[in-house]
Amino acid sequence: MQDQPEQNSDLEIVRSGEELQIRLQRPRAINSLTGAMLGDIGRAVPGSTRLDISGAGEKGFCSGADIRELRSLALSDVEAATGWLETEYDVDLAIARLGHGVAHLHGVSMGGGLGLTLRLERVEAARDLVLAMPETGIGLWPDVGACWELSRAPRLAGRHLAMTGMSIDAASALWAGLVDVVVDEEGSPLDVDPLESELAADAGWIQECYRFNDPVSILEALASRPEPEARAAADLISTRSPLSVAVALEAVQRAEQASGVEEVLATDRVLGRSFMRASDFCEGVRAQLVDKDHDPRWSHASVADVSRAEVEAMFDAQ
């Protein structure tokens, strides 16, 4: 017998015994997560032992958090914006602790959507997957605990994905360990060789360039490589928020030494307070989604202008 909770129009939540089925139902916004959606998910997870989560619409599973909503809060009420992020991380932690279940990723699967899914025991990806943690492009850092998974990707690929914010396909996500299987429209596994993915092909220069512990050295290494893909990565990083790039690298490095996703989410809570108080976030969203001029005026001209003290201060907010 199924018990149907009261519904948010942007969500379909069905409980069958201890199994919880969640379907994101905001396809026009590629199922971006509002605070109300996160609150409803958070209230639904307790008491469940297994989760099945998917997203409606052809464009994708989830484009991430509703950053326009978050930006509006950050401009008017920093504490409310910080609370919004706290709710998101509470949901991510609850699902991480649950663990059991399956996530169905397709198309655009990014940011906050990955926080809801990466810790489930089976993460399925459709062949049209476009996966990313693109936060450095809007003045944030890869949050929702994702630095835990990024830090475990082979050949330092997680540092590359965190700093660039670039998108990868299903085969590359499989190689990076971010998904467990690639499936067809019926959910049957496809024979995908992750070693033939673009990310695997780039692993040599990625490991060589991202072995440094500061973003300036990484950019210099990328720019000096003969591979055009490496130089393109340097160019891409140079368009991102310099502060976000520096914090993203530091966050992944710290996650490499972390005990688990709970510790990484605790770090994200600190960073969330810092970024809502002072960062490039509001400007990044303005440029990308509000005015759409794609010409953000970052607070630093380049990563070379971001001091070590500034980076460390972001991790020390009270």
Side-chain angles (χ1 to χ4, degrees):
M1 182 177 180
Q2 291 186 338
D3 176 29
Q4 184 90 19
E6 183 177 343
Q7 297 298 303
N8 176 327
S9 62
D10 294 330
L11 287 172
E12 179 181 271
I13 301 176
V14 177
R15 189 183 302 279
S16 180
E18 294 182 343
E19 178 170 309
L20 185 68
Q21 296 179 353
I22 296 177
R23 186 166 178 83
L24 309 181
Q25 293 274 27
R26 202 182 175 210
R28 288 189 178 181
I30 319 181
N31 300 315
S32 64
L33 299 163
T34 64
M37 292 168 70
L38 289 165
D40 285 349
I41 294 171
R43 286 184 287 272
V45 170
S48 306
T49 60
R50 181 176 176 81
L51 173 64
D52 185 291
I53 185 166
S54 60
E58 296 182 357
K59 291 184 178 180
F61 163 70
C62 178
S63 60
D66 187 331
I67 54 175
R68 290 183 182 176
E69 180 178 275
L70 181 57
R71 178 181 185 267
S72 294
L73 288 175
L75 288 170
S76 61
D77 188 340
V78 169
E79 290 305 313
T82 301
W84 196 106
L85 288 174
E86 290 277 350
T87 297
E88 182 174 27
Y89 304 153
D90 286 344
V91 173
D92 298 332
L93 181 57
I95 292 176
R97 288 173 172 170
L98 176 66
H100 299 295
V102 58
H104 308 276
L105 305 185
H106 75 283
V108 174
S109 299
M110 300 182 178
L114 299 182
L116 301 178
T117 57
L118 290 182
R119 286 112 227 173
L120 292 175
E121 60 191 343
R122 183 176 173 87
V123 181
E124 297 182 352
R127 70 179 88 206
D128 68 346
L129 181 72
V130 181
L131 183 148
M133 290 298 296
E135 284 76 10
T136 56
I138 55 166
L140 287 177
W141 81 103
D143 65 340
V144 299
C147 285
W148 171 252
E149 285 80 15
L150 292 175
S151 71
R152 268 65 194 167
R155 309 287 291 276
L156 302 180
R159 296 185 181 191
H160 173 60
L161 297 176
M163 292 175 67
T164 62
M166 67 178 291
S167 301
I168 56 175
D169 64 9
S172 290
L174 188 62
W175 179 82
L178 300 174
V179 303
D180 298 309
V181 63
V182 182
V183 299
D184 62 17
E185 290 78 4
E186 286 72 44
S188 299
L190 293 170
D191 185 15
V192 174
D193 185 355
L195 294 177
E196 294 183 358
S197 67
E198 291 184 9
L199 198 57
D202 291 338
W205 61 258
I206 287 175
Q207 185 170 33
E208 183 65 23
C209 294
Y210 288 89
R211 61 189 171 88
F212 300 101
N213 291 325
D214 70 277
V216 173
S217 296
I218 289 172
L219 274 171
E220 289 174 348
L222 289 168
S224 66
R225 293 290 298 191
E227 298 88 351
E229 295 84 359
R231 298 195 300 274
D235 291 340
L236 181 57
I237 291 171
S238 296
T239 70
R240 306 312 200 188
S241 159
L243 177 63
S244 292
V245 167
V247 170
L249 175 60
E250 179 71 14
V252 176
Q253 289 175 319
R254 293 190 182 206
E256 291 168 0
Q257 307 302 319
S259 59
V261 69
E262 293 195 21
E263 183 178 338
V264 175
L265 280 166
T267 298
D268 285 342
R269 292 178 192 277
V270 175
L271 288 172
R273 290 193 290 273
S274 295
F275 272 83
M276 291 305 99
R277 290 173 182 171
S279 71
D280 288 323
F281 169 61
C282 290
E283 171 61 14
V285 178
R286 180 207 64 77
Q288 297 300 325
L289 294 176
V290 179
D291 297 337
K292 299 181 180 180
D293 58 23
H294 303 288
D295 185 24
R297 295 180 287 275
W298 302 129
S299 56
H300 300 78
S302 71
V303 292
D305 295 320
V306 182
S307 71
R308 179 65 190 169
E310 288 178 284
V311 174
E312 291 179 346
M314 299 298 283
F315 289 84
D316 291 333
Q318 300 298 318

